[in-house]
PDB file of all heavy atoms in Angstrom:
ATOM      1  N   ASP A   1      20.218 -16.330 -10.673  1.00 79.00           N
ATOM      2  CA  ASP A   1      19.916 -17.431  -9.754  1.00 79.00           C
ATOM      3  C   ASP A   1      18.571 -17.181  -9.084  1.00 79.00           C
ATOM      4  O   ASP A   1      18.011 -16.089  -9.141  1.00 79.00           O
ATOM      5  CB  ASP A   1      21.016 -17.549  -8.684  1.00 79.00           C
ATOM      6  CG  ASP A   1      22.395 -17.776  -9.302  1.00 79.00           C
ATOM      7  OD1 ASP A   1      22.529 -18.703 -10.121  1.00 79.00           O
ATOM      8  OD2 ASP A   1      23.314 -17.016  -8.962  1.00 79.00           O
ATOM      9  N   GLY A   2      18.074 -18.234  -8.422  1.00 83.00           N
ATOM     10  CA  GLY A   2      16.840 -18.092  -7.663  1.00 83.00           C
ATOM     11  C   GLY A   2      15.687 -18.875  -8.266  1.00 83.00           C
ATOM     12  O   GLY A   2      15.783 -19.449  -9.354  1.00 83.00           O
ATOM     13  N   THR A   3      14.585 -18.880  -7.559  1.00 90.00           N
ATOM     14  CA  THR A   3      13.387 -19.568  -8.012  1.00 90.00           C
ATOM     15  C   THR A   3      12.698 -18.773  -9.115  1.00 90.00           C
ATOM     16  O   THR A   3      13.047 -17.616  -9.381  1.00 90.00           O
ATOM     17  CB  THR A   3      12.409 -19.760  -6.850  1.00 90.00           C
ATOM     18  OG1 THR A   3      11.968 -18.458  -6.401  1.00 90.00           O
ATOM     19  CG2 THR A   3      13.066 -20.481  -5.675  1.00 90.00           C
ATOM     20  N   LEU A   4      11.705 -19.389  -9.737  1.00 89.00           N
ATOM     21  CA  LEU A   4      10.938 -18.683 -10.756  1.00 89.00           C
ATOM     22  C   LEU A   4      10.285 -17.443 -10.166  1.00 89.00           C
ATOM     23  O   LEU A   4      10.248 -16.380 -10.794  1.00 89.00           O
ATOM     24  CB  LEU A   4       9.868 -19.623 -11.340  1.00 89.00           C
ATOM     25  CG  LEU A   4       9.195 -19.158 -12.632  1.00 89.00           C
ATOM     26  CD1 LEU A   4      10.197 -19.134 -13.774  1.00 89.00           C
ATOM     27  CD2 LEU A   4       8.017 -20.066 -12.977  1.00 89.00           C
ATOM     28  N   GLU A   5       9.776 -17.569  -8.951  1.00 90.00           N
ATOM     29  CA  GLU A   5       9.145 -16.435  -8.279  1.00 90.00           C
ATOM     30  C   GLU A   5      10.133 -15.303  -8.055  1.00 90.00           C
ATOM     31  O   GLU A   5       9.785 -14.119  -8.196  1.00 90.00           O
ATOM     32  CB  GLU A   5       8.548 -16.879  -6.933  1.00 90.00           C
ATOM     33  CG  GLU A   5       7.334 -17.782  -7.042  1.00 90.00           C
ATOM     34  CD  GLU A   5       7.694 -19.223  -7.389  1.00 90.00           C
ATOM     35  OE1 GLU A   5       8.913 -19.574  -7.351  1.00 90.00           O
ATOM     36  OE2 GLU A   5       6.767 -19.994  -7.706  1.00 90.00           O
ATOM     37  N   GLU A   6      11.366 -15.647  -7.727  1.00 89.00           N
ATOM     38  CA  GLU A   6      12.382 -14.619  -7.500  1.00 89.00           C
ATOM     39  C   GLU A   6      12.812 -13.969  -8.821  1.00 89.00           C
ATOM     40  O   GLU A   6      13.050 -12.756  -8.872  1.00 89.00           O
ATOM     41  CB  GLU A   6      13.594 -15.247  -6.795  1.00 89.00           C
ATOM     42  CG  GLU A   6      13.299 -15.618  -5.348  1.00 89.00           C
ATOM     43  CD  GLU A   6      14.376 -16.488  -4.721  1.00 89.00           C
ATOM     44  OE1 GLU A   6      15.109 -17.177  -5.476  1.00 89.00           O
ATOM     45  OE2 GLU A   6      14.486 -16.496  -3.477  1.00 89.00           O
ATOM     46  N   LYS A   7      12.892 -14.742  -9.896  1.00 89.00           N
ATOM     47  CA  LYS A   7      13.273 -14.186 -11.195  1.00 89.00           C
ATOM     48  C   LYS A   7      12.213 -13.216 -11.722  1.00 89.00           C
ATOM     49  O   LYS A   7      12.538 -12.214 -12.362  1.00 89.00           O
ATOM     50  CB  LYS A   7      13.505 -15.308 -12.202  1.00 89.00           C
ATOM     51  CG  LYS A   7      14.729 -16.172 -11.920  1.00 89.00           C
ATOM     52  CD  LYS A   7      14.856 -17.281 -12.939  1.00 89.00           C
ATOM     53  CE  LYS A   7      15.986 -18.233 -12.631  1.00 89.00           C
ATOM     54  NZ  LYS A   7      17.318 -17.615 -12.694  1.00 89.00           N
ATOM     55  N   PHE A   8      10.937 -13.532 -11.464  1.00 89.00           N
ATOM     56  CA  PHE A   8       9.842 -12.712 -11.969  1.00 89.00           C
ATOM     57  C   PHE A   8       9.289 -11.752 -10.906  1.00 89.00           C
ATOM     58  O   PHE A   8       8.205 -11.202 -11.085  1.00 89.00           O
ATOM     59  CB  PHE A   8       8.710 -13.595 -12.502  1.00 89.00           C
ATOM     60  CG  PHE A   8       8.990 -14.175 -13.864  1.00 89.00           C
ATOM     61  CD1 PHE A   8       9.691 -15.356 -14.004  1.00 89.00           C
ATOM     62  CD2 PHE A   8       8.562 -13.518 -15.010  1.00 89.00           C
ATOM     63  CE1 PHE A   8       9.954 -15.893 -15.259  1.00 89.00           C
ATOM     64  CE2 PHE A   8       8.815 -14.037 -16.275  1.00 89.00           C
ATOM     65  CZ  PHE A   8       9.521 -15.231 -16.394  1.00 89.00           C
ATOM     66  N   ALA A   9      10.029 -11.534  -9.848  1.00 87.00           N
ATOM     67  CA  ALA A   9       9.577 -10.632  -8.790  1.00 87.00           C
ATOM     68  C   ALA A   9       9.490  -9.194  -9.298  1.00 87.00           C
ATOM     69  O   ALA A   9      10.219  -8.788 -10.211  1.00 87.00           O
ATOM     70  CB  ALA A   9      10.525 -10.708  -7.593  1.00 87.00           C
ATOM     71  N   LEU A  10       8.607  -8.418  -8.696  1.00 90.00           N
ATOM     72  CA  LEU A  10       8.481  -7.004  -9.053  1.00 90.00           C
ATOM     73  C   LEU A  10       9.747  -6.270  -8.607  1.00 90.00           C
ATOM     74  O   LEU A  10      10.136  -6.349  -7.447  1.00 90.00           O
ATOM     75  CB  LEU A  10       7.248  -6.401  -8.381  1.00 90.00           C
ATOM     76  CG  LEU A  10       5.920  -7.109  -8.678  1.00 90.00           C
ATOM     77  CD1 LEU A  10       4.779  -6.413  -7.963  1.00 90.00           C
ATOM     78  CD2 LEU A  10       5.655  -7.179 -10.175  1.00 90.00           C
ATOM     79  N   ARG A  11      10.351  -5.522  -9.556  1.00 90.00           N
ATOM     80  CA  ARG A  11      11.660  -4.944  -9.256  1.00 90.00           C
ATOM     81  C   ARG A  11      11.748  -3.436  -9.433  1.00 90.00           C
ATOM     82  O   ARG A  11      12.639  -2.794  -8.876  1.00 90.00           O
ATOM     83  CB  ARG A  11      12.742  -5.622 -10.091  1.00 90.00           C
ATOM     84  CG  ARG A  11      13.024  -7.065  -9.656  1.00 90.00           C
ATOM     85  CD  ARG A  11      13.992  -7.765 -10.583  1.00 90.00           C
ATOM     86  NE  ARG A  11      15.222  -7.007 -10.760  1.00 90.00           N
ATOM     87  CZ  ARG A  11      16.032  -7.164 -11.803  1.00 90.00           C
ATOM     88  NH1 ARG A  11      15.725  -8.002 -12.766  1.00 90.00           N
ATOM     89  NH2 ARG A  11      17.131  -6.454 -11.889  1.00 90.00           N
ATOM     90  N   HIS A  12      10.886  -2.840 -10.236  1.00 92.00           N
ATOM     91  CA  HIS A  12      10.969  -1.388 -10.364  1.00 92.00           C
ATOM     92  C   HIS A  12       9.621  -0.801 -10.779  1.00 92.00           C
ATOM     93  O   HIS A  12       8.728  -1.501 -11.265  1.00 92.00           O
ATOM     94  CB  HIS A  12      12.079  -0.949 -11.330  1.00 92.00           C
ATOM     95  CG  HIS A  12      11.851  -1.286 -12.778  1.00 92.00           C
ATOM     96  ND1 HIS A  12      10.806  -0.779 -13.527  1.00 92.00           N
ATOM     97  CD2 HIS A  12      12.563  -2.066 -13.635  1.00 92.00           C
ATOM     98  CE1 HIS A  12      10.872  -1.230 -14.761  1.00 92.00           C
ATOM     99  NE2 HIS A  12      11.917  -2.020 -14.858  1.00 92.00           N
ATOM    100  N   MET A  13       9.512   0.494 -10.599  1.00 96.00           N
ATOM    101  CA  MET A  13       8.310   1.227 -10.944  1.00 96.00           C
ATOM    102  C   MET A  13       8.333   1.578 -12.430  1.00 96.00           C
ATOM    103  O   MET A  13       9.383   1.780 -13.025  1.00 96.00           O
ATOM    104  CB  MET A  13       8.250   2.520 -10.125  1.00 96.00           C
ATOM    105  CG  MET A  13       6.931   3.266 -10.212  1.00 96.00           C
ATOM    106  SD  MET A  13       5.691   2.544  -9.118  1.00 96.00           S
ATOM    107  CE  MET A  13       6.333   3.073  -7.502  1.00 96.00           C
ATOM    108  N   VAL A  14       7.154   1.623 -13.035  1.00 98.00           N
ATOM    109  CA  VAL A  14       6.978   2.187 -14.379  1.00 98.00           C
ATOM    110  C   VAL A  14       5.992   3.337 -14.257  1.00 98.00           C
ATOM    111  O   VAL A  14       4.918   3.182 -13.654  1.00 98.00           O
ATOM    112  CB  VAL A  14       6.456   1.147 -15.379  1.00 98.00           C
ATOM    113  CG1 VAL A  14       6.091   1.822 -16.702  1.00 98.00           C
ATOM    114  CG2 VAL A  14       7.505   0.062 -15.618  1.00 98.00           C
ATOM    115  N   THR A  15       6.359   4.496 -14.784  1.00 98.00           N
ATOM    116  CA  THR A  15       5.507   5.681 -14.755  1.00 98.00           C
ATOM    117  C   THR A  15       4.960   5.939 -16.147  1.00 98.00           C
ATOM    118  O   THR A  15       5.717   6.066 -17.104  1.00 98.00           O
ATOM    119  CB  THR A  15       6.289   6.913 -14.271  1.00 98.00           C
ATOM    120  OG1 THR A  15       6.815   6.652 -12.961  1.00 98.00           O
ATOM    121  CG2 THR A  15       5.375   8.138 -14.198  1.00 98.00           C
ATOM    122  N   PHE A  16       3.630   6.017 -16.244  1.00 98.00           N
ATOM    123  CA  PHE A  16       2.966   6.239 -17.525  1.00 98.00           C
ATOM    124  C   PHE A  16       2.682   7.721 -17.745  1.00 98.00           C
ATOM    125  O   PHE A  16       2.574   8.509 -16.792  1.00 98.00           O
ATOM    126  CB  PHE A  16       1.643   5.467 -17.582  1.00 98.00           C
ATOM    127  CG  PHE A  16       1.787   3.986 -17.358  1.00 98.00           C
ATOM    128  CD1 PHE A  16       1.055   3.336 -16.366  1.00 98.00           C
ATOM    129  CD2 PHE A  16       2.646   3.238 -18.146  1.00 98.00           C
ATOM    130  CE1 PHE A  16       1.184   1.981 -16.168  1.00 98.00           C
ATOM    131  CE2 PHE A  16       2.781   1.868 -17.951  1.00 98.00           C
ATOM    132  CZ  PHE A  16       2.045   1.236 -16.956  1.00 98.00           C
ATOM    133  N   THR A  17       2.513   8.089 -19.000  1.00 98.00           N
ATOM    134  CA  THR A  17       2.115   9.451 -19.342  1.00 98.00           C
ATOM    135  C   THR A  17       0.720   9.721 -18.795  1.00 98.00           C
ATOM    136  O   THR A  17      -0.189   8.908 -18.972  1.00 98.00           O
ATOM    137  CB  THR A  17       2.107   9.636 -20.869  1.00 98.00           C
ATOM    138  OG1 THR A  17       3.403   9.322 -21.380  1.00 98.00           O
ATOM    139  CG2 THR A  17       1.724  11.063 -21.232  1.00 98.00           C
ATOM    140  N   GLU A  18       0.560  10.840 -18.130  1.00 98.00           N
ATOM    141  CA  GLU A  18      -0.745  11.176 -17.554  1.00 98.00           C
ATOM    142  C   GLU A  18      -1.805  11.260 -18.649  1.00 98.00           C
ATOM    143  O   GLU A  18      -1.637  11.949 -19.656  1.00 98.00           O
ATOM    144  CB  GLU A  18      -0.671  12.505 -16.800  1.00 98.00           C
ATOM    145  CG  GLU A  18      -1.963  12.862 -16.079  1.00 98.00           C
ATOM    146  CD  GLU A  18      -1.832  14.119 -15.248  1.00 98.00           C
ATOM    147  OE1 GLU A  18      -0.749  14.750 -15.274  1.00 98.00           O
ATOM    148  OE2 GLU A  18      -2.818  14.472 -14.565  1.00 98.00           O
ATOM    149  N   GLY A  19      -2.884  10.527 -18.466  1.00 98.00           N
ATOM    150  CA  GLY A  19      -3.972  10.529 -19.427  1.00 98.00           C
ATOM    151  C   GLY A  19      -3.751   9.659 -20.643  1.00 98.00           C
ATOM    152  O   GLY A  19      -4.618   9.582 -21.523  1.00 98.00           O
ATOM    153  N   GLY A  20      -2.598   8.984 -20.733  1.00 98.00           N
ATOM    154  CA  GLY A  20      -2.302   8.121 -21.866  1.00 98.00           C
ATOM    155  C   GLY A  20      -3.035   6.800 -21.786  1.00 98.00           C
ATOM    156  O   GLY A  20      -3.707   6.500 -20.784  1.00 98.00           O
ATOM    157  N   PRO A  21      -2.927   5.966 -22.822  1.00 98.00           N
ATOM    158  CA  PRO A  21      -3.677   4.706 -22.839  1.00 98.00           C
ATOM    159  C   PRO A  21      -3.322   3.744 -21.709  1.00 98.00           C
ATOM    160  O   PRO A  21      -4.200   3.052 -21.188  1.00 98.00           O
ATOM    161  CB  PRO A  21      -3.345   4.109 -24.216  1.00 98.00           C
ATOM    162  CG  PRO A  21      -2.138   4.839 -24.688  1.00 98.00           C
ATOM    163  CD  PRO A  21      -2.200   6.189 -24.080  1.00 98.00           C
ATOM    164  N   PHE A  22      -2.051   3.697 -21.317  1.00 98.00           N
ATOM    165  CA  PHE A  22      -1.682   2.797 -20.222  1.00 98.00           C
ATOM    166  C   PHE A  22      -2.204   3.319 -18.890  1.00 98.00           C
ATOM    167  O   PHE A  22      -2.670   2.540 -18.050  1.00 98.00           O
ATOM    168  CB  PHE A  22      -0.169   2.606 -20.175  1.00 98.00           C
ATOM    169  CG  PHE A  22       0.356   1.632 -21.193  1.00 98.00           C
ATOM    170  CD1 PHE A  22       0.782   2.064 -22.437  1.00 98.00           C
ATOM    171  CD2 PHE A  22       0.413   0.277 -20.912  1.00 98.00           C
ATOM    172  CE1 PHE A  22       1.251   1.171 -23.387  1.00 98.00           C
ATOM    173  CE2 PHE A  22       0.880  -0.628 -21.845  1.00 98.00           C
ATOM    174  CZ  PHE A  22       1.314  -0.188 -23.091  1.00 98.00           C
ATOM    175  N   HIS A  23      -2.127   4.618 -18.681  1.00 98.00           N
ATOM    176  CA  HIS A  23      -2.683   5.227 -17.473  1.00 98.00           C
ATOM    177  C   HIS A  23      -4.170   4.931 -17.374  1.00 98.00           C
ATOM    178  O   HIS A  23      -4.676   4.521 -16.319  1.00 98.00           O
ATOM    179  CB  HIS A  23      -2.414   6.739 -17.499  1.00 98.00           C
ATOM    180  CG  HIS A  23      -2.916   7.465 -16.286  1.00 98.00           C
ATOM    181  ND1 HIS A  23      -3.041   8.846 -16.251  1.00 98.00           N
ATOM    182  CD2 HIS A  23      -3.357   7.023 -15.078  1.00 98.00           C
ATOM    183  CE1 HIS A  23      -3.500   9.206 -15.076  1.00 98.00           C
ATOM    184  NE2 HIS A  23      -3.708   8.122 -14.347  1.00 98.00           N
ATOM    185  N   ARG A  24      -4.892   5.120 -18.468  1.00 98.00           N
ATOM    186  CA  ARG A  24      -6.336   4.868 -18.469  1.00 98.00           C
ATOM    187  C   ARG A  24      -6.643   3.390 -18.249  1.00 98.00           C
ATOM    188  O   ARG A  24      -7.571   3.032 -17.515  1.00 98.00           O
ATOM    189  CB  ARG A  24      -6.953   5.339 -19.787  1.00 98.00           C
ATOM    190  CG  ARG A  24      -6.837   6.847 -20.022  1.00 98.00           C
ATOM    191  CD  ARG A  24      -7.756   7.313 -21.150  1.00 98.00           C
ATOM    192  NE  ARG A  24      -7.507   6.610 -22.394  1.00 98.00           N
ATOM    193  CZ  ARG A  24      -6.641   7.006 -23.320  1.00 98.00           C
ATOM    194  NH1 ARG A  24      -5.919   8.119 -23.124  1.00 98.00           N
ATOM    195  NH2 ARG A  24      -6.488   6.334 -24.446  1.00 98.00           N
TER     196      ARG A  24
END
């Protein structure tokens, strides 16, 4: 339930590998 903004709200952290492509 909820608005589009509520459905797509930021909900958790993602931790990237240090020095990996996403970190960079």
